[in-house]
């Protein structure tokens, strides 16, 4: 029988911050899950025949020179950009947050290509000087060089592919996360990343129900017959766990760039979840513990929660500090591909990670 302990005010604050962090995790695990239509039909990613060793779908069949990253040192000192001088903000630490297309508890992948796609990828940027949190979303279809492996874990070199696929080439746990962290760092010009948090998508219903459901005004019709979910645009509903799961994950893959409409639903849900959780935690700080326990088996992290809570629990966070890696979606031979707008991306990097002198 477990003992119950009273929580101190300081611990209550820490638990509230933990709940907030978990909400951030939720925000970034509910982006593109396993491809599903608005009717709830599951699609198979498959594996292209031209892949060496049948590695995985979505990767262009051109092998690179090496399977290793050739990392360059992050820019230091004063940097000139568009007529202004900048210095890298050394008070910043970044954390990669991922949502994995797996509905089960975290377990080791059966082979070297089944680690699961990181269909949600975000950077949580903590500025200790400004006491500010920022969040940068990374489109899961972003085309970049990734490290590819065969089923036995043997390197097949570097290939251009969707960034979400990097997590698949690993163990579905720490190895997959570490490799994903490396390729995201490279995408951002080898920016240092301090750690990662990942969560399997199956934890979403538990997170929703842990706060008694979340109320939304439905933005789009969502009908999933086999789950008995029927949400109509314009109606106000307090979502159950399965309804939240469908509301946040479903999209019509036959509709080009339908992920954008889903992203609006997710942003709406996240905002309402935060408000609900804040209200509940103010009345009952132990609510944060319940939220955490509801998804603990679905998470993998390199972050020491106690240290992170101590450091970040007083930081501010607002929608004004939510960003997206800029770019455009085009239709590839089989899958949508997202190409970064390099100039706009550089503008974003200087805005978030640098201080103008």
């Amino acid at each position: 029988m477990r003992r119950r302990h009273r929580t101190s005010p300081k611990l209550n604050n820490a638990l509230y911050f933990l709940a907030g962090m978990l909400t951030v995790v939720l925000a970034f695990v509910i982006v593109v899950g396993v491809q599903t239509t608005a009717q709830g039909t599951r699609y198979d990613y498959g594996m292209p025949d031209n892949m060496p060793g049948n590695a995985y779908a979505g990767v262009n069949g051109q092998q690179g020179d090496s399977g290793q990253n050739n990392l360059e040192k992050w820019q230091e000192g004063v940097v000139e950009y568009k007529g202004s001088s900048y210095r890298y903000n050394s008070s910043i630490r970044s954390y990669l947050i991922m949502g994995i297309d797996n509905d089960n508890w975290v377990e080791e992948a059966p082979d070297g290509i089944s680690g699961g796609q990181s269909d949600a990828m975000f950077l949580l940027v903590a500025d200790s000087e400004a006491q500010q949190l920022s969040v940068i979303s990374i489109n899961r279809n972003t085309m970049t060089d990734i490290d590819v492996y065969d089923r036995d874990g043997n390197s097949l070199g570097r290939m251009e592919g969707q960034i979400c696929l990097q997590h698949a080439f690993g163990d579905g746990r720490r190895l997959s996360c570490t490799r994903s962290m490396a390729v995201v760092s490279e995408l951002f010009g080898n920016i240092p990343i301090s750690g990662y948090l990942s969560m399997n998508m199956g934890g979403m219903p538990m997170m929703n129900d842990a706060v008694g459901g979340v109320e939304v005004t439905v933005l789009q019709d969502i009908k999933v017959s086999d789950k008995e979910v029927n949400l109509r645009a314009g109606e106000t509903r307090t979502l159950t766990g399965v309804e939240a799961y469908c509301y946040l994950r479903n999209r019509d893959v036959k509709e080009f760039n339908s992920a954008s409409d889903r992203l609006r639903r997710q942003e709406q849900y996240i905002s309402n979840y935060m408000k609900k959780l804040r209200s509940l935690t103010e009345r009952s700080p132990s609510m944060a513990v319940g939220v955490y326990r509801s998804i603990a088996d679905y998470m993998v992290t390199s972050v020491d929660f106690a240290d992170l809570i101590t450091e970040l629990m007083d930081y501010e966070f607002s929608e004004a500090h939510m960003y997206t890696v800029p770019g455009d979606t085009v239709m590839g031979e089989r899958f949508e591909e997202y190409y970064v707008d390099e100039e706009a991306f550089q503008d974003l990097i200087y805005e978030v990670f640098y201080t103008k002198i």
Side-chain angles (χ1 to χ4, degrees), residues 88 90-95 124-128 192 194 307-308 311:
Y88 176 67
S90 59
S91 65
I92 276 180
R93 286 205 293 171
S94 300
Y95 304 90
L124 176 66
V125 183
D127 185 339
S128 60
S194 299
D307 289 345
L308 193 62
E311 178 186 357

Side-chain angles (χ1 to χ4, degrees), residues 63-72 144-149 153-159 166 169 175 178-179 182-183 186 190:
Q63 187 163 353
D65 296 329
S66 172
Q68 301 297 323
N69 291 328
N70 181 21
L71 299 180
E72 299 176 358
T144 190
D145 288 340
I146 62 175
D147 297 299
V148 180
Y149 300 83
N154 301 312
S155 175
L156 298 176
R158 304 214 82 197
M159 301 180 186
Q166 185 62 79
F169 297 106
L175 181 59
T178 300
R179 288 174 175 171
V183 76
E186 187 175 19
N190 296 321

